[in-house]
Amino acid sequence: MVLALKSAKTDAVLINNAIATLAVNRDPGIAMFPQTLQDGTFGIAFAKDSPERDAWQKACDAIPEETKQAAWEKWTGSDESAKVLPEQDWPGSNGTVQAAVCDTLEPMSYAGEGGELKGFDLEKILLMARELDVHVEFVGMEFSAILPYVQSGKALMGAGSIIVTEERRQAVDFIEYRPASFVLMVRAVQTPSGEAKTGGFFSSVADSFERTFLRESRWKLFLSGVGTTLLITVLSVLLGTALGFLVFMLCRNGNPVANTVTRFCVWLIQGMPVVVLPMILFYIIFGQVAISGTIVSVIGFTLIFGAAVYSMIRSGVGAVDGGQKEAAYALGYTDRKAFFRIVLPQALPHFLPAYKGEITALIKATAVVGYVAVQDLTKIGDIVRSRTYEAFFPLIAVAVIYFALAAILTLIVNRIAVRIDPRRRSKSVILKGVKGQ
Amino acid sequence: MIELRHLEKKYENATPLKDLNAVIREGDVISVIGPSGTGKSTLLRCINMLERPTGGQILLDGEDITAPKYDLTKARRRMGMVFQSFNLFGHLTVIENLMLAPMDILKKSKQEAYDTGVALLRRVGLAGRELQYPEQLSGGQKQRVAIARTLAMNPDVILLDEPTSALDPTMVGEVQAVIRDLAKSGKTMLIVTHEMSFARAICNRVFYMDEGGVYEDGTPEQVFDHPRKERTRRFVRKLKVLELLIDSRDFDFIGAGTQIDLYCLQNDIPPKEKYRIRLVIEELVQQILLAEYAQPDIAVTVEYAPETQTTVFVDYKGDRFDPHDTKNDLSLTVLTGVAEAFDYTYDDSERQNHVEIRLK
């Protein structure tokens, strides 16, 4: 939004005071209206009736006012070098707790250099933790994921620029730690916009590139995002293929129980938006289990891909004419052997094109894993965007990387397809080891 | 070698085989003929259990292969099958089609399978086609490969299910030549076919199938030249038959007229012939017989075959009555006018009176 304001897409932005203060301190071209609207407080969320909340509330109250104010000024100020979280140098004799924090809301809670989480909220939590002598482990995620995460007990508390509202209060309990309000941000009268653009198009592109990829070594973030996306995709493809194949083998001979169960599951999985299944798995089915979002994503996409593979194999096998199977039986093949020697090799070319398409679809579908607190490529794009206030480079970069990944995976499948296509074998392969040809 | 006992195959809405009994001896070359829908293919597919019979037993050298625990692959290894639609393995070359099963099932070495395969291809006249794929071959060539594939397993019995039915007429000959060669070699064979002259030329036994079983079983001479049973006779003479049953005075003769028209149309019976058939029925049945019997029970059978004379059989129940003795001279004159032969017999079957009129 700050971005829209600076590029004159809008003339005023209604935004919370933390972001506004930071923006104003950082950029003299932006000013803040003195009146505040809808005053409230920022809160740290705890699960409803959490017994630990009171202890933390006490710890919060014990922090001297000056310390709180100093922290606020540090994180909303323009001095980037000062924005470092305090070391957790206390003994931590009361254990370690998890805190779910948003990773895209500068200055309250965001991912800084190398994806390291920081921000005012985190410092606040650490100040309290020092009082209580506990260590805190931060888990970064989408803002919308924080409250479900806390509610399901995966983390003790959640923070990330959460403004306390009545409705949120019904779902979770809060420690209210800082006044919040909405303020109007506008461009200052003497906008030095001309000055900013003096570098010309190329230097501004180079500048954007520098900010998106080089500053704070953000390319490392992108790299880790690519790694996560690839990990989820490749594991889901492999496991999903195995799953789909296994289920097909169970259903192949019309076993009524296996078929009914499979039909129901396929119907369920394919009837659900791709984003919903991992969320159901993460927040409901594995709600009480300490399990990483990546594993849940792999499970979810394995199911999705498995369902697709099952349907593909079924139609592929259906396309092989039944007479050949009969011919194999008549020659003395068992049902299983006839399937593997005669039917499957001919079904493969039928469904490989669809399989390739499915992989491309899958790698794109994994973009939703941000909802279950996984920092994949798309999520990294969001994180970087929230820091640079710039849409173009992160988005284009993300799109290009997805293209490249899909192309690479398709290429690999193509290679495999050529290798297993019985029609492409040469004479020497067919008659390998036969003399007197 | 194979004994079929009370074999039965029921489908939801048809029963092609009911209580079929037959014995197939070693070295028999049996043609299975019969009208369509009488279970010829079903019989073949039951013998190697591609279709599981719903009743009865199949004994292969005394062993019941329909027993639930019997290892079917053992029986199938001894029974090759050639299909109407070839069913070659599309992803494999011709030679691999011949090598695959001997290597997989008989555990032959690749070299041995290859040598046998090449020899068999030469035998069916397809030497040099080893590395082609089935889809590059003509129908006749495909079927010859399929026969060679069956032979590669060196089965004791070969079942051929209408091997030439899916072929262009120009390709039938090449496949028949291969089968003829096979029949001479002394292999036990069962062949379902519609080509009667071919069946006659190669086989030493004929199964005429009808009414859910082997209706008549005999040498080709017996079955083709001197069929003992009525349906066999009609079939081997390619007779087209129309049957009418007049069992009341209110019989719908107008409807019957339409039936006769349809029958003539379907069987390409010339209009002149049709006119005569109608004339015989009108004069003999309507004019003479209905006048004679108050409660008629008359069965009319018309038999037509191209290039032979049409015959009308009229069988009726009741007191002995020869139509020649009718007082209706006009009708009698008409009848004798169109008939080349006009015979009357009486016996003690259900309908005692029999008239046979052979049309000119």
Side-chain angles (χ1 to χ4, degrees):
Chain A
M1 280 191 278
V2 177
L3 197 64
L5 184 64
K6 270 165 77 179
S7 60
K9 275 203 182 124
T10 59
D11 291 324
V13 171
L14 186 64
I15 204 160
N16 74 48
N17 54 338
I19 299 173
T21 313
L22 175 71
V24 170
N25 285 342
R26 217 181 238 172
D27 193 334
I30 290 174
M32 187 163 54
F33 261 60
Q35 307 92 313
T36 59
L37 303 154
Q38 203 189 334
D39 294 319
T41 47
F42 288 112
I44 294 170
F46 284 75
K48 202 85 187 142
D49 303 321
S50 161
E52 276 142 280
R53 195 198 72 96
D54 294 338
W56 286 79
Q57 179 72 59
K58 264 191 213 120
C60 181
D61 298 338
I63 302 167
E65 212 43 55
E66 314 81 79
T67 317
K68 288 184 191 172
Q69 186 57 31
W72 172 259
E73 275 160 18
K74 166 170 134 192
W75 291 101
T76 56
S78 57
D79 180 9
E80 294 298 324
S81 59
K83 296 181 180 177
V84 195
L85 281 182
E87 288 289 323
Q88 301 196 32
D89 48 7
W90 52 95
S93 49
N94 289 328
T96 304
V97 298
Q98 288 213 322
V101 293
C102 179
D103 47 17
T104 54
L105 290 173
E106 200 181 1
M108 302 300 266
S109 130
Y110 61 102
E113 191 171 348
E116 172 214 358
L117 294 161
K118 53 185 180 177
F120 175 70
D121 285 351
L122 283 78
E123 175 148 354
K124 190 86 190 186
I125 290 171
L126 288 179
L127 289 175
M128 294 187 272
R130 178 153 55 194
E131 297 286 327
L132 297 170
D133 197 16
V134 280
H135 281 169
V136 184
E137 195 181 306
F138 294 107
V139 189
M141 65 190 64
E142 195 79 23
F143 180 78
S144 58
I146 294 173
L147 292 189
Y149 210 90
V150 171
Q151 278 175 308
S152 66
K154 284 181 182 293
L156 175 67
M157 66 189 109
S161 209
I162 306 173
I163 291 175
V164 178
T165 64
E166 258 327 295
E167 204 171 1
R168 283 178 184 157
R169 210 174 254 146
Q170 282 170 15
V172 288
D173 287 338
F174 284 105
I175 291 176
E176 296 174 28
Y177 63 93
R178 175 86 207 173
S181 58
F182 283 92
V183 293
L184 269 177
M185 272 192 323
V186 293
R187 282 189 299 282
V189 185
Q190 66 285 35
T191 309
S193 57
E195 194 185 311
K197 285 185 180 167
T198 46
F201 176 74
F202 284 107
S203 79
S204 85
V205 167
D207 193 36
S208 298
F209 183 84
E210 191 268 335
R211 264 183 295 167
T212 302
F213 293 111
L214 303 182
R215 191 176 295 176
E216 297 183 356
S217 302
R218 285 179 184 144
W219 57 273
K220 284 185 186 159
L221 282 182
F222 278 102
L223 215 58
S224 83
V226 168
T228 308
T229 294
L230 264 185
L231 179 79
I232 293 172
T233 307
V234 171
L235 279 181
S236 303
V237 165
L238 295 179
L239 295 175
T241 306
L243 176 75
F245 190 75
L246 200 77
V247 170
F248 177 79
M249 290 310 284
L250 288 178
C251 295
R252 187 167 63 94
N253 284 331
N255 179 324
V257 179
N259 271 287
T260 311
V261 172
T262 304
R263 254 204 310 277
F264 177 73
C265 291
V266 169
W267 171 78
L268 202 66
I269 292 168
Q270 294 191 333
M272 211 183 293
V274 172
V275 60
V276 177
L277 180 66
M279 283 170 75
I280 287 181
L281 287 175
F282 192 62
Y283 293 118
I284 300 173
I285 295 175
F286 295 115
Q288 307 303 322
V289 187
I291 188 170
S292 96
T294 311
I295 294 174
V296 170
S297 304
V298 170
I299 294 173
F301 285 105
T302 296
L303 289 176
I304 290 168
F305 199 71
V309 166
Y310 167 76
S311 307
M312 274 186 281
I313 298 183
R314 228 170 60 130
S315 64
V317 166
V320 178
D321 90 285
Q324 295 187 26
K325 202 162 70 176
E326 284 194 338
Y329 293 159
L331 285 167
Y333 278 86
T334 58
D335 177 52
R336 179 173 291 260
K337 206 160 186 187
F339 177 77
F340 281 108
R341 298 291 278 168
I342 311 297
V343 179
L344 193 61
Q346 296 186 72
L348 284 176
H350 280 295
F351 73 74
L352 270 177
Y355 188 78
K356 275 186 286 187
E358 206 59 46
I359 288 181
T360 313
L362 180 76
I363 195 168
K364 288 183 290 183
T366 59
V368 304
V369 295
Y371 283 98
V372 292
V374 176
Q375 297 193 331
D376 72 320
L377 181 54
T378 303
K379 184 69 216 210
I380 295 297
D382 288 348
I383 291 173
V384 169
R385 221 144 41 90
S386 76
R387 295 296 311 285
T388 60
Y389 296 122
E390 203 167 348
F392 180 80
F393 258 95
L395 285 180
I396 295 293
V398 165
V400 167
I401 295 170
Y402 273 113
F403 265 117
L405 292 181
I408 292 168
L409 288 184
T410 311
L411 199 73
I412 294 171
V413 178
N414 273 340
R415 280 283 165 82
I416 296 171
V418 170
R419 292 203 94 183
I420 61 174
D421 185 355
R423 290 302 189 84
R424 296 201 188 211
R425 295 165 308 155
S426 66
K427 180 182 171 182
S428 55
V429 174
I430 294 171
L431 295 180
K432 199 172 159 194
V434 172
K435 282 178 226 124
Q437 296 168 17
Chain B
M1 147 172 242
I2 298 176
E3 195 179 344
L4 309 171
R5 285 187 189 161
H6 309 296
L7 203 62
E8 181 203 70
K9 177 70 188 176
K10 256 189 197 152
Y11 294 110
E12 228 164 87
N13 40 21
T15 307
L17 303 180
K18 43 187 174 199
D19 197 29
L20 181 145
N21 295 283
V23 176
I24 298 153
R25 290 178 292 266
E26 183 135 19
D28 269 352
V29 177
I30 300 173
S31 294
V32 182
I33 60 168
S36 54
T38 50
K40 302 185 297 292
S41 291
T42 311
L43 170 67
L44 242 62
R45 294 166 59 82
C46 277
I47 291 178
N48 74 352
M49 300 286 282
L50 280 181
E51 305 267 359
R52 193 165 265 282
T54 44
Q57 288 177 310
I58 300 167
L59 303 183
L60 177 63
D61 288 337
E63 240 183 318
D64 182 7
I65 67 169
T66 56
K69 279 182 194 152
Y70 184 82
D71 176 16
L72 273 181
T73 58
K74 217 169 80 187
R76 285 175 177 157
R77 241 175 262 184
R78 299 184 48 198
M79 298 195 271
M81 179 130 181
V82 175
F83 297 84
Q84 183 179 351
S85 49
F86 330 130
N87 296 345
L88 294 176
F89 304 138
H91 63 306
L92 299 177
T93 56
V94 165
I95 190 72
E96 286 171 299
N97 263 280
L98 268 60
M99 291 163 66
L100 191 72
M103 285 163 63
D104 279 350
I105 311 284
L106 303 180
K107 308 291 175 204
K108 283 196 186 179
S109 74
K110 193 166 187 176
Q111 184 70 50
E112 202 184 344
Y114 176 81
D115 292 341
T116 319
V118 170
L120 283 171
L121 280 183
R122 193 167 299 131
R123 181 166 167 193
V124 299
L126 290 171
R129 303 272 183 179
E130 285 85 354
L131 291 172
Q132 293 194 332
Y133 283 93
E135 65 183 29
Q136 295 169 293
L137 303 178
S138 73
Q141 291 169 332
K142 279 185 207 170
Q143 193 61 295
R144 284 189 279 158
V145 172
I147 293 172
R149 179 178 67 181
T150 306
L151 291 176
M153 293 293 285
N154 196 21
D156 299 332
V157 191
I158 301 177
L159 311 169
L160 299 104
D161 185 5
E162 305 198 22
T164 57
S165 299
L167 297 177
D168 253 27
T170 52
M171 295 172 184
V172 170
E174 63 188 65
V175 173
Q176 286 185 344
V178 170
I179 298 173
R180 198 172 286 133
D181 167 58
L182 211 59
K184 272 189 240 156
S185 73
K187 272 252 188 284
T188 313
M189 285 167 51
L190 252 84
I191 173 165
V192 173
T193 181
H194 291 292
E195 316 269 341
M196 305 261 219
S197 54
F198 173 64
R200 189 172 180 151
I202 62 159
C203 68
N204 61 12
R205 265 175 92 189
V206 178
F207 284 179
Y208 172 76
M209 299 219 11
D210 210 332
E211 294 184 339
V214 178
Y215 186 81
E216 190 158 348
D217 170 6
T219 64
E221 290 72 33
Q222 275 168 357
V223 175
F224 288 113
D225 299 338
H226 311 288
R228 282 162 296 175
K229 292 184 172 176
E230 186 56 31
R231 280 171 182 256
T232 320
R233 187 184 64 84
R234 282 183 192 165
F235 182 78
V236 299
R237 302 224 170 121
K238 298 183 183 158
L239 295 178
K240 311 293 180 199
V241 178
L242 171 75
E243 285 174 327
L244 298 170
L245 184 64
I246 296 120
D247 53 2
S248 105
R249 297 191 74 84
D250 303 326
F251 182 76
D252 178 10
F253 280 99
I254 296 170
T258 317
Q259 233 177 308
I260 295 168
D261 285 349
L262 191 66
Y263 160 75
C264 293
L265 192 69
Q266 282 169 348
N267 298 305
D268 264 341
I269 299 175
K272 204 170 146 194
E273 203 81 354
K274 179 174 88 178
Y275 169 72
R276 286 175 172 167
I277 293 169
R278 294 188 67 146
L279 204 66
V280 166
I281 294 173
E282 273 168 30
E283 299 302 334
L284 180 61
V285 178
Q286 280 177 276
Q287 300 299 331
I288 300 177
L289 293 178
L290 283 190
E292 198 66 31
Y293 296 103
Q295 279 174 337
D297 181 359
I298 306 167
V300 179
T301 310
V302 182
E303 288 183 358
Y304 166 85
E307 290 156 34
T308 57
Q309 286 149 322
T310 307
T311 313
V312 182
F313 299 91
V314 181
D315 305 317
Y316 47 97
K317 207 169 172 173
D319 298 336
R320 187 178 186 127
F321 170 70
D322 184 345
H324 289 100
D325 303 335
T326 182
K327 294 179 190 74
N328 188 342
D329 289 334
L330 179 62
S331 293
L332 190 62
T333 315
V334 173
L335 280 178
T336 44
V338 296
E340 184 171 286
F342 182 2
D343 301 317
Y344 171 79
T345 50
Y346 182 85
D347 58 26
D348 51 3
S349 55
E350 196 200 341
R351 296 190 182 94
Q352 304 94 327
N353 301 279
H354 306 285
V355 174
E356 183 181 336
I357 297 177
R358 205 156 70 239
L359 298 179
K360 274 180 185 164

